[in-house]
């Protein structure tokens, strides 16, 4: 059993954005060091002990010191200049997925219950489940090689309006999109925000890959810095580890959903935030992030080279480009998946037609 589990854990599954076991092992001594610092402070100070172990709705580590350190980190790692980041309010959450749910509920509170959640087509494959739990119809909007197409978005908004349907939110992954890897240009970002103002809906920007650019080129700042209708969702899952369950919402608006829970039980992620806080203050997280970027780049480069060597002579069937960020290689894998799907669909249809003529009811075929 142990051998089988180890073999499963060692598999490289390109369908999931899971961190490597090697990178998780790198995290362990860092978290051990940061945790020891927080625990030592708690042993020496009543205030620190209350912040770490008490009801922390007014915890200075979470509400003041941690937010300052987090904004410092954001301004150094692709979210925008410090003056832009300072305009954003921060709400900590137990991970990015929970943050998406909170933002959806906030849109319902502010705008009233509506009918539709718009998403890029394709999009993160589990997002529709979150929106479906709020009884929102998930509708895809066309994307191209540069990301979400604003003209297609407006066409869809007009079509839905004519059908008598109202739009609650647009869910987008503006940087290093999962799975296409596209990054929206400044021009498209501004146009999408303008459409949210014109047609009165909120934007949830899933920006968990914001700090994972491989190259030192200028990266568009967080979409939340453009307008108060945008709620940016980020997480330490891709930076430290998904097991830490610490994410955050940044927005120029106010997040009021869950306030009753916070007031009753204290901040949801105060202990985890206290564990990570020393790493933010010392900037050791930045050093670790640099290692993660280098490791991801080497892995993407290796895969890119292997694909190029194996499939580069297949004419126009496949295309390749140098990886620029955490999800870049997925663009080319999606092309391969599309081709394999079309081949499988063609074979399935042919088998269905052939076996149907033979009248063999016991034969089951699927794809």
């Amino acid at each position: 059993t142990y051998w089988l589990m180890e073999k499963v854990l060692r598999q490289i599954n390109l369908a999931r954005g899971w961190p490597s076991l090697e990178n998780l092992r790198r995290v362990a001594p860092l978290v051990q060091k940061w945790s020891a610092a927080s625990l030592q402070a708690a042993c020496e100070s009543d205030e620190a002990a209350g912040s770490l172990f008490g009801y922390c709705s007014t915890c200075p580590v979470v509400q003041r010191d941690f937010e300052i350190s987090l904004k410092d980190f954001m301004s150094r790692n692709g979210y925008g200049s410090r003056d832009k980041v300072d305009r954003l309010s921060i709400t900590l959450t137990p991970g990015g997925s929970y943050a998406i749910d909170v933002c959806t509920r906030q849109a319902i509170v502010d705008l009233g219950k509506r009918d539709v959640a718009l998403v890029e087509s394709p999009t993160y494959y589990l997002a529709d489940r979150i929106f479906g739990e709020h009884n929102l119809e998930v509708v895809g909007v066309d994307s191209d090689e540069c990301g979400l197409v604003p003209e297609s978005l407006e066409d869809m908004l007009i079509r839905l309006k004519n059908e008598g349907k109202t739009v609650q939110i647009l869910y987008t992954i503006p940087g290093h999109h999962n799975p296409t890897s596209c990054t929206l240009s400044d021009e498209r970002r501004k146009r999408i925000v303008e459409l949210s103002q014109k047609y009165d809906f909120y934007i949830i920007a899933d920006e968990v890959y914001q700090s994972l650019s491989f190259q030192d080129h200028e990266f568009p700042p967080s979409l939340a810095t453009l307008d108060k209708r945008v709620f940016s969702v980020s997480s330490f899952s891709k930076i430290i580890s998904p097991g830490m369950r610490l994410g955050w919402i940044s927005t120029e608006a106010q997040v009021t959903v869950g306030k009753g829970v916070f007031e009753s039980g204290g901040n949801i992620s105060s202990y985890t935030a206290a564990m990570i806080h020393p790493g933010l203050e010392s900037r050791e997280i930045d050093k670790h992030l640099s290692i993660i970027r280098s490791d991801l780049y080497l892995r993407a480069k290796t895969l890119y080279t292997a694909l190029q060597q194996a499939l580069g002579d297949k004419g126009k069937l496949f295309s390749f480009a140098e990886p620029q960020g955490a999800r870049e290689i997925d663009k080319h894998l999606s092309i391969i998946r599309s081709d394999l799907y079309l081949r499988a669909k063609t074979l399935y249809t042919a088998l269905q037609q052939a076996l149907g003529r033979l009248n063999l009811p016991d034969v089951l075929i699927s794809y």
Side-chain angles (χ1 to χ4, degrees):
T1 302
Y2 174 79
W3 173 84
L4 180 61
M5 284 299 298
E6 184 178 27
K7 192 173 184 65
V8 170
L9 288 172
R10 291 289 174 182
Q11 288 180 344
I12 299 175
N13 190 334
L14 297 176
R16 296 189 174 103
W18 289 3
S20 68
L21 298 182
E22 290 82 358
N23 282 333
L24 291 180
R25 190 170 65 246
R26 287 192 185 105
V27 166
L30 292 175
V31 175
Q32 183 181 41
K33 177 182 177 181
W34 302 336
S35 300
S38 296
L39 290 169
Q40 183 62 37
C43 291
E44 298 173 353
S45 161
D46 290 345
E47 182 185 42
S51 298
L52 189 60
F53 297 116
Y55 287 105
C56 300
S57 58
T58 58
C59 170
V61 171
V62 173
Q63 289 199 344
R64 187 188 67 237
D65 297 344
F66 186 86
E67 182 171 323
I68 292 172
S69 298
L70 180 58
K71 286 184 174 180
D72 282 341
F73 170 83
M74 293 170 65
S75 65
R76 295 192 304 269
N77 290 283
Y79 288 84
S81 61
R82 185 56 199 257
D83 62 312
K84 290 182 178 180
V85 170
D86 274 339
R87 295 199 299 266
L88 305 175
S89 65
I90 302 293
T91 301
L92 295 183
T93 64
S97 298
Y98 184 88
I100 294 172
D101 181 75
V102 169
C103 294
T104 305
R105 288 191 284 144
Q106 188 67 54
I108 292 172
V109 168
D110 291 351
L111 303 176
K113 180 65 174 69
R114 298 187 178 178
D115 306 312
V116 173
L118 295 175
V119 300
E120 294 148 325
S121 181
T123 190
Y124 170 51
Y125 74 105
L126 292 176
D128 63 325
R129 300 187 188 181
I130 299 174
F131 306 132
E133 289 180 353
H134 296 283
N135 296 315
L136 293 171
E137 178 187 357
V138 179
V139 176
V141 179
D142 288 342
S143 301
D144 60 17
E145 67 277 4
C146 298
L148 182 66
V149 181
E151 292 77 15
S152 297
L153 174 59
E154 184 160 29
D155 288 344
M156 180 59 71
L157 289 165
I158 294 172
R159 172 183 160 187
L160 291 171
K161 184 177 180 180
N162 291 337
E163 293 175 357
K165 296 180 179 180
T166 53
V167 175
Q168 192 87 64
I169 57 168
L170 166 67
Y171 171 76
T172 178
I173 308 172
H176 304 311
H177 183 277
N178 175 8
T180 68
S181 84
C182 298
T183 293
L184 282 174
S185 65
D186 289 331
E187 182 180 355
R188 288 198 180 191
R189 289 167 184 249
K190 292 176 182 176
R191 180 57 183 151
I192 289 168
V193 168
E194 289 172 357
L195 290 173
S196 75
Q197 297 166 344
K198 179 178 179 180
Y199 292 94
D200 189 31
F201 59 87
Y202 278 6
I203 298 174
I204 301 176
D206 193 340
E207 298 186 320
V208 295
Y209 305 109
Q210 188 73 13
S211 58
L212 292 178
S213 291
F214 296 154
Q215 309 298 336
D216 293 329
H217 59 80
E218 187 173 349
F219 196 74
S222 169
L223 202 63
T225 61
L226 296 183
D227 192 77
K228 64 182 181 181
R229 286 181 167 271
V230 182
F231 292 81
S232 169
V233 169
S234 297
S235 171
F236 284 99
S237 293
K238 314 300 181 185
I239 302 170
I240 303 297
S241 81
M244 297 298 289
R245 303 316 308 148
L246 183 62
W248 70 93
I249 301 167
S250 50
T251 177
E252 290 188 10
Q254 293 297 316
V255 177
T256 59
V257 166
K259 190 174 181 180
V261 175
F262 291 154
E263 290 179 350
S264 174
N267 188 284
I268 290 177
S269 304
S270 57
Y271 187 86
T272 307
M275 296 297 102
I276 289 179
H277 190 213
L280 288 173
E281 281 194 315
S282 65
R283 299 194 179 187
E284 285 183 293
I285 286 183
D286 293 66
K287 297 176 184 177
H288 175 71
L289 182 56
S290 178
I291 295 172
I292 295 298
R293 288 193 192 108
S294 298
D295 179 74
L296 290 174
Y297 173 74
L298 288 174
R299 289 169 181 268
K301 179 75 172 180
T302 300
L303 179 58
Y304 162 75
T305 302
L307 287 172
Q308 192 177 45
Q309 292 173 348
L311 303 173
D313 60 345
K314 303 301 180 183
K316 295 183 178 180
L317 183 58
F318 304 104
S319 64
F320 301 90
E322 191 74 19
Q324 300 296 319
R327 303 297 306 194
E328 186 71 23
I329 204 69
D330 283 2
K331 179 191 298 182
H332 317 299
L333 292 177
S334 67
I335 296 172
I336 296 173
R337 292 190 193 104
S338 297
D339 175 72
L340 292 176
Y341 170 78
L342 290 174
R343 291 169 182 263
K345 180 68 178 291
T346 301
L347 177 60
Y348 167 79
T349 303
L351 284 172
Q352 193 176 44
Q353 293 173 350
L355 294 176
R357 288 194 294 269
L358 294 177
N359 194 24
L360 301 175
D362 294 334
V363 177
L364 175 66
I365 55 175
S366 63
Y367 74 97

